[in-house]
Amino acid sequence: MLQIPHLPETRKLKALAVLTSGGDAPGMNAAIRAVVRYAIAKDCAVYGVTKGYSGLLEGQIQPMEASSVANIIQRGGTILKTDRCEAFFRKAVRREAAHILQRKGIEGLVVIGGDGSFTGAHLMENETGFPTIGIPGTIDNDIAGTEDTIGFDTAVNTAVDAIDRIRDTASSHDRIFVVEVMGRSSGYIALQTGIGGGAETVLVPERKIPVSKICDTIERGIRRGKTSSIIVLAEGRTPGNAQVLAQKLEDRGYATKVCILGHTQRGGTPTAHDRMLASAMGASAVAHLMAGHSNSMIGCRDNRIQLVPFKDVIGGKKTLSTALLDLGAVLAT
Ligand code: ADP
């Protein structure tokens, strides 16, 4: 169960702004809702910035009311839209962004996004002193300093549901299925999906497994009467990995199909867990800004919501649990 510490005592803050940046993730809307409603409850005005840093630079900044976030907690995506903004890599542009916010009387910025978005916020605060707080919103769960990110649980549930469906066909046709899930440099989605979906093999960027070993697992299954297998594969950095693996298995005489889940994992109704996490993190972000804390992310460690300085987050590597990887392998045999 998620532990929510008492939120810090507040000082008066006139207005803050919230934006979403980078890849969207289910639960971002629940986080926006919490930011808006918590701020208003504390007599702080809130502005919504449309389209991330690009919209900020274009001045797409609108006041939000409690009613602006009605009926969004259950919706995937982000009502504020999101974008990637090349210009924000430039110092002069970040300085201009801070001025745009200050001219509107805004005294703090909540950034819902990933490592890249936090880097932009961190640099802007270091260069201008403008207070920023990050909320981790990404399905990949690849952000250092937090055990969980908004959208991860939903993505895993979507992928497990897909595997349950694929297994019906795999067993009816005696096929091997390679199911590719998201995760360019991190195997979190693949690992949890593999364990939750009872996959025979899980392939993650953090641990390479030779094709011969995958074939050994398939053969072991066949000897025990299994006629089908599910291999969950994290997409990795090079596109087409699932096809390449399927071809190698075909070459060894195994009838293999590929299913790439792709963007189906990014959208959809957020799970109750992601809504809860987003609500707690959104409120905590506002409370910390109001208490004068900034240049940090709201993280979750030991199931507790807490403040983690951006410097301990950005560029950090989160290591995949080898114990979980081993467990997945044991349970699949
Ligand atoms: P995510 O936040 O999901 O990791 P990106 O890495 O695409 O997504 O970053 C989102 C946006 O954050 C970028 O388009 C850019 O505007 C800003 N950003 C990313 N990295 C930096 C950086 N090193 N310096 C300044 N801004 C950055």
Side-chain angles (χ1 to χ4, degrees), residues 100-118:
I100 290 171
L101 291 165
Q102 280 159 343
R103 281 199 292 272
K104 281 199 164 288
I106 295 166
E107 296 171 325
L109 176 66
V110 178
V111 173
I112 306 170
D115 194 82
S117 305
F118 296 164

Side-chain angles (χ1 to χ4, degrees), residues 91-320:
K91 187 174 175 179
V93 170
R94 292 191 294 269
R95 188 170 289 275
E96 174 55 18
H99 287 154
I100 290 171
L101 291 165
Q102 280 159 343
R103 281 199 292 272
K104 281 199 164 288
I106 295 166
E107 296 171 325
L109 176 66
V110 178
V111 173
I112 306 170
D115 194 82
S117 305
F118 296 164
T119 308
H122 178 54
L123 291 173
M124 186 174 83
E125 177 154 359
N126 286 351
E127 292 153 4
T128 66
F130 192 89
T132 61
I133 288 264
I135 297 179
T138 163
I139 64 165
D140 287 342
N141 198 14
D142 58 353
I143 298 178
T146 184
E147 288 153 8
D148 204 356
T149 60
I150 296 166
F152 173 65
D153 185 63
T154 306
V156 168
N157 275 285
T158 302
V160 167
D161 182 57
I163 287 191
D164 290 348
R165 291 161 194 270
I166 289 165
R167 197 176 280 287
D168 291 346
T169 302
S171 62
S172 300
H173 288 265
D174 293 347
R175 288 266 159 72
I176 293 162
F177 262 86
V178 179
V179 183
E180 185 181 292
V181 299
M182 282 194 163
R184 281 156 67 80
S185 54
S186 150
Y188 272 95
I189 294 181
L191 180 56
Q192 296 226 356
T193 299
I195 293 176
E200 277 67 24
T201 303
V202 178
L203 300 172
V204 294
E206 291 89 343
R207 183 189 278 180
K208 304 279 177 234
I209 299 181
V211 179
S212 60
K213 213 165 160 217
I214 299 170
C215 293
D216 289 347
T217 307
I218 295 169
E219 285 301 326
R220 241 189 348 263
I222 291 171
R223 283 198 295 278
R224 287 176 36 237
K226 271 190 188 183
T227 54
S228 64
S229 259
I230 304 268
I231 299 167
V232 173
L233 169 87
E235 63 185 338
R237 294 226 165 259
T238 38
N241 275 338
Q243 303 284 1
V244 171
L245 174 61
Q247 190 54 55
K248 285 181 180 166
L249 294 174
E250 284 276 346
D251 293 346
R252 286 166 171 77
Y254 301 106
T256 309
K257 293 277 177 208
V258 170
C259 179
I260 298 172
L261 300 186
H263 283 80
T264 59
Q265 297 155 95
R266 281 262 286 267
T269 302
T271 57
H273 174 88
D274 275 333
R275 296 181 203 193
M276 182 67 216
L277 184 69
S279 301
M281 285 182 161
S284 184
V286 176
H288 278 292
L289 264 181
M290 295 186 95
H293 308 152
S294 65
N295 219 342
S296 300
M297 173 191 79
I298 304 298
C300 178
R301 285 168 159 172
D302 296 329
N303 247 355
R304 258 182 100 75
I305 299 292
Q306 52 195 274
L307 199 67
V308 189
F310 273 150
K311 64 177 174 42
D312 298 338
V313 173
I314 291 163
K317 184 93 187 102
K318 194 148 104 183
T319 45
L320 195 67

